Amino acid sequence: MNEEFSVDDPTQLLDSASDFADEPGLPNDAAAKDFLDRFPLPLIINCLQTKANVPGLENTLTACLERIFRTKYGASLIPHYMAFVEVGLKANSHVVRRLACRTVTFLLENSTEEASYAIQLIIDYDIYSLLLDCLINGDETVATPSMDAVMKLAVLPKGIDIIFPADNNKATHLGNLAARSSSLGRVRVLSLIVKLFSVSRSVASVIYSSNLLNLLEAGVSNTNDSIERLSILELLYELSEVQHSTEFLSRTTLLQLLCSIIGNSAMDLHLRLRAMMISGRLLSKENAHIFVDDSSVKTVISAIDGRLGFLESQDTAECESALEALGDIGSSIQGATLLLLSVPPAARYVIDAAFDRQGRGKQLTALHALANIAGEARPENTRILNSIAEESLRRLIYEVASRSMKLTPSGLILSILQQAAEVRLAGYRMITGLVARPWFLMEICSKQEIINIVTDATTDTTKIGMETRYNCCKAINKAFTSSKLIGDPAFAAIAEKLEEAVRNGPYLARKQLQATPEVKTAERF
C-alpha cells in the first residue's frame, strides 16, 4: 500500500466512519461518494490492515465499508479491489471475513448487466472456494453471509457451472466437500444444497443429477449421530416446502426412510415428529400423485396410523403431529381418498379427535386436518371425492355423532362454534369444506343457532377470524342456493339471513353507531 494512504493517527477516520456507519436508513450513492472523497478506499483498507489492534477500529471500519459497498457507487468500486476481497476471505478475523463475504454478495447483486465480468472475477481470484472455506470453517456470523453469496452466484448465468463443476473430482464439488468435513461442516453443506434446491426446478435437477440428494439419505440413515440426524431432518422439513420437492425426492428412498423412523417406537421422539411432518408436507401437494404411487402413500399413512393406534386417546405432541400430517396428506384429492378408503380408514382418528373436547390441542389440530380432507383448501370444483370415499366420510362423521351426547353432527358442530375463538375458526374451515355435501348442508340448516353464529359479524374480532367466518358463510350460502332447499318455505328465513350476511361483507358489518364520549365535561351550574 502506498505511503500516501497510510495513517499514523486513525482517530479522525474512526470518528467519521462511526458516524457514517450509524446513520439511520439505507445509505445512498452521494453519501458514500462524499465519505470516500474525504477518506479514499485505499486509506481505509490500509488502516484496517495495519491498525487492527486499535480498540473498536475493526468493527467500525468493517461496518462503514459494508455500508459503502451496499450502494451502487460503492459496489462499482469492488472489481478494482478484488485482491482485498480475496485477502479478507482468508483473514483470521471473523469480522473481516464476514465483510468479505458480504462484499462478494454486493458485487453479484449489482452485476446483472455485466454478469460475465463478475463471474470472471470470481474465477480469477478463486472466490468460490474461499466462500466454501468460510462456510465450513467460519463461525455462524461468517457461514451465513458466505452462503448468501453462493446463492447470489447461483442465479447468475454460468454461476451454476462454478457451483456444480462437470468434474466430480474437483475439491469444490459439494459431495466431496461434505465427505471431508466435520459433522457441523457437513450439515452446513447440506443446508447450502437445500437452499440451492429452492432456487429453481432446473437447479434442483442438477442437484439430483449430481447425486447430492444421496447425502440427505445417508444423513437420515446415520444412526451414530442423532444430533446430525435431527439437523438433516430439519433441512428436509425446509426442503419439503419447495414446490418441486416431491418430484425429485420421490425418486429417492427418503419416504421409506421416513416411514421407518415413524414406525420405530425406540426412535427419539423429535425424530419421529419431524419424519411425520416431512412426509405430510411432501404428500400435500396436488401434483404428488404424479410422482408418488398409491402404494408409497399407503405405506406412509399406515405408519402414521400405527402410531396413532399406539397413542390411542393421548393428547401429546406426537399425536398432534400425526394428525397434522394426515391433514397435510388429505389436502390433495389422492391423499384424502386414500385416508378414507384405507382399511380401517386412517381418517377415523382425525374425525374422532375433531369432535372430542377432551384434548384441546388435539381437537384443534384435528379440526384443521378434517377441513383439509374435506377440501377447504382445494378449488371448489375438487372438494367432492369419489362416491365410495364420500360415503366413508359421511359414515365416519355420523358414527362419531351417534357415540356422543349430542347424537347428531349438527349438535357437534354447534358445540365447536361455541368454544374459544381458535377452535371456532377451525370449525369455520371445517364447515367451509364439508358444506358442499348435501347431507352436511342439511345438518347445518337444521340448527338455527349455527346459522346465527356464522352470520353474526360481531362474533369474531380478529381479521383472520372475520375473514374465515365470512368465507364459511359464503360457502354455506353457495351450497344452499345450489340445493333443493332454496325453494322450501321452511328455510326462507335462513336464506334471507345468509344473503344479508354475504352482502354485508366480512369486516364488522354492523349498524353504524354514533361516537359517544367516555368522559364528560363537568357541569358548571
Side-chain angles (χ1 to χ4, degrees):
M1 192 69 66
N2 294 334
E3 290 185 5
E4 62 180 299
F5 294 121
S6 63
V7 58
D8 294 325
D9 182 7
T11 304
Q12 185 180 0
L13 170 60
L14 269 180
D15 290 343
S16 297
S18 179
D19 291 342
F20 183 81
D22 293 338
E23 284 182 5
L26 293 175
N28 57 64
D29 288 349
K33 187 176 185 308
D34 177 67
F35 185 87
L36 291 179
D37 285 344
R38 291 185 291 131
F39 303 100
L41 201 49
L43 177 69
I44 301 174
I45 294 173
N46 177 273
C47 193
L48 186 61
Q49 292 174 331
T50 61
K51 304 290 183 180
N53 59 332
V54 176
L57 181 140
E58 195 172 70
N59 287 330
T60 300
L61 291 189
T62 52
C64 175
L65 286 173
E66 181 172 332
R67 194 170 168 81
I68 288 171
F69 291 144
R70 191 184 295 272
T71 67
K72 284 190 174 297
Y73 174 74
S76 70
L77 302 175
I78 296 173
H80 306 292
Y81 293 90
M82 288 303 291
F84 164 68
V85 176
E86 180 185 9
V87 171
L89 291 170
K90 299 176 183 178
N92 293 325
S93 166
H94 291 303
V95 176
V96 174
R97 294 179 86 184
R98 181 183 64 204
L99 170 64
C101 291
R102 297 290 293 138
T103 303
V104 174
T105 296
F106 298 141
L107 169 70
L108 298 174
E109 282 179 340
N110 290 276
S111 60
T112 52
E113 296 180 359
E114 299 180 1
S116 59
Y117 180 48
I119 293 293
Q120 193 58 52
L121 289 172
I122 296 295
I123 295 171
D124 291 344
Y125 288 89
D126 197 26
I127 297 298
Y128 178 62
S129 66
L130 295 175
L131 288 172
L132 292 181
D133 183 68
C134 289
L135 175 69
I136 298 298
N137 299 313
D139 67 4
E140 199 63 35
T141 65
V142 174
T144 299
S146 68
M147 191 178 298
D148 293 340
V150 175
M151 293 297 292
K152 291 297 180 183
L153 180 63
V155 298
L156 290 181
K158 297 186 178 180
I160 207 70
D161 295 334
I162 297 176
I163 299 171
F164 300 104
D167 183 3
N168 290 340
N169 295 318
K170 289 196 69 172
T172 57
H173 187 280
L174 295 178
N176 299 330
L177 185 64
R180 65 176 187 268
S181 297
S182 64
S183 177
L184 175 60
R186 191 159 47 250
V187 170
R188 286 180 176 178
V189 172
L190 293 176
S191 179
L192 175 60
I193 291 172
V194 168
K195 290 187 180 300
L196 289 169
F197 189 94
S198 67
V199 169
S200 67
R201 185 190 175 280
S202 61
V203 175
S205 181
V206 174
I207 290 173
Y208 174 78
S209 301
S210 301
N211 295 320
L212 293 175
L213 293 181
N214 293 349
L215 299 177
L216 293 168
E217 291 180 276
V220 173
S221 303
N222 179 19
T223 58
N224 297 322
D225 191 336
S226 58
I227 295 178
E228 180 180 339
R229 200 178 193 187
L230 182 58
S231 296
I232 292 173
L233 283 174
E234 292 293 339
L235 292 176
L236 274 174
Y237 183 76
E238 181 182 335
L239 187 65
S240 66
E241 295 182 326
V242 179
Q243 183 58 39
H244 47 265
S245 59
T246 305
E247 175 184 353
F248 293 100
L249 293 181
S250 63
R251 304 174 192 173
T252 70
T253 62
L254 277 168
L255 272 178
Q256 295 94 304
L257 291 171
L258 292 172
C259 285
S260 68
I261 293 174
I262 293 169
N264 188 346
S265 298
M267 193 70 66
D268 180 83
L269 172 63
H270 296 94
L271 295 177
R272 286 203 304 273
L273 295 183
R274 269 296 174 243
M276 288 179 189
M277 300 310 297
I278 294 164
S279 301
R281 289 284 182 100
L282 287 175
L283 299 176
S284 67
K285 299 172 177 61
E286 197 56 55
N287 65 350
H289 70 280
I290 299 175
F291 308 109
V292 184
D293 56 62
D294 283 359
S295 62
S296 296
V297 180
K298 288 177 182 177
T299 302
V300 175
I301 292 174
S302 177
I304 298 173
D305 183 278
R307 287 307 299 168
L308 283 169
F310 175 78
L311 296 167
E312 294 182 347
S313 60
Q314 297 179 39
D315 183 15
T316 62
E318 184 175 3
C319 186
E320 290 179 25
S321 292
L323 292 170
E324 185 175 347
L326 290 182
D328 285 339
I329 294 172
S331 298
S332 69
I333 294 175
Q334 177 210 27
T337 302
L338 292 176
L339 287 173
L340 290 163
L341 297 185
S342 55
V343 182
R348 71 192 185 282
Y349 287 115
V350 174
I351 294 170
D352 286 349
F355 298 109
D356 183 3
R357 297 186 63 170
Q358 299 306 309
R360 175 68 174 275
K362 188 169 72 170
Q363 182 186 27
L364 184 61
T365 303
L367 283 168
H368 283 295
L370 180 53
N372 289 346
I373 294 170
E376 187 270 348
R378 296 195 294 268
E380 290 184 10
N381 62 343
T382 62
R383 285 179 179 167
I384 302 296
L385 308 171
N386 66 48
S387 58
I388 305 176
E390 283 295 327
E391 176 55 28
S392 175
L393 176 63
R394 189 192 69 79
R395 177 175 53 78
L396 288 170
I397 291 178
Y398 274 101
E399 284 179 357
V400 170
S402 67
R403 296 194 302 265
S404 72
M405 295 178 61
K406 303 297 182 181
L407 298 179
T408 63
S410 59
L412 293 175
I413 295 160
L414 178 59
S415 175
I416 288 168
L417 296 181
Q418 290 173 334
Q419 293 184 55
E422 58 180 358
V423 176
R424 188 168 61 248
L425 186 148
Y428 292 149
R429 286 195 66 233
M430 178 194 67
I431 294 170
T432 302
L434 286 171
V435 78
R437 285 90 179 160
W439 60 268
F440 192 83
L441 174 65
M442 183 60 74
E443 291 289 339
I444 294 296
C445 293
S446 68
K447 275 201 180 297
Q448 183 66 44
E449 296 98 321
I450 295 176
I451 300 298
N452 291 343
I453 292 173
V454 298
T455 57
D456 185 358
T458 66
T459 301
D460 298 275
T461 56
T462 65
K463 183 175 185 292
I464 188 172
M466 290 186 283
E467 290 176 348
T468 307
R469 178 203 62 80
Y470 182 67
N471 289 336
C472 175
C473 190
K474 284 198 303 181
I476 296 172
N477 186 58
K478 183 170 184 177
F480 184 88
T481 55
S482 303
S483 71
K484 296 178 182 179
L485 302 180
I486 188 65
D488 191 334
F491 296 98
I494 288 177
E496 183 179 352
K497 199 157 195 172
L498 288 169
E499 288 178 6
E500 181 182 4
V502 171
R503 188 168 55 249
N504 286 338
Y507 303 115
L508 299 177
R510 60 184 79 178
K511 293 181 179 180
Q512 294 293 326
L513 300 175
Q514 292 293 328
T516 55
E518 293 185 1
V519 179
K520 295 182 179 180
T521 55
E523 294 182 6
R524 294 297 181 185
F525 303 101

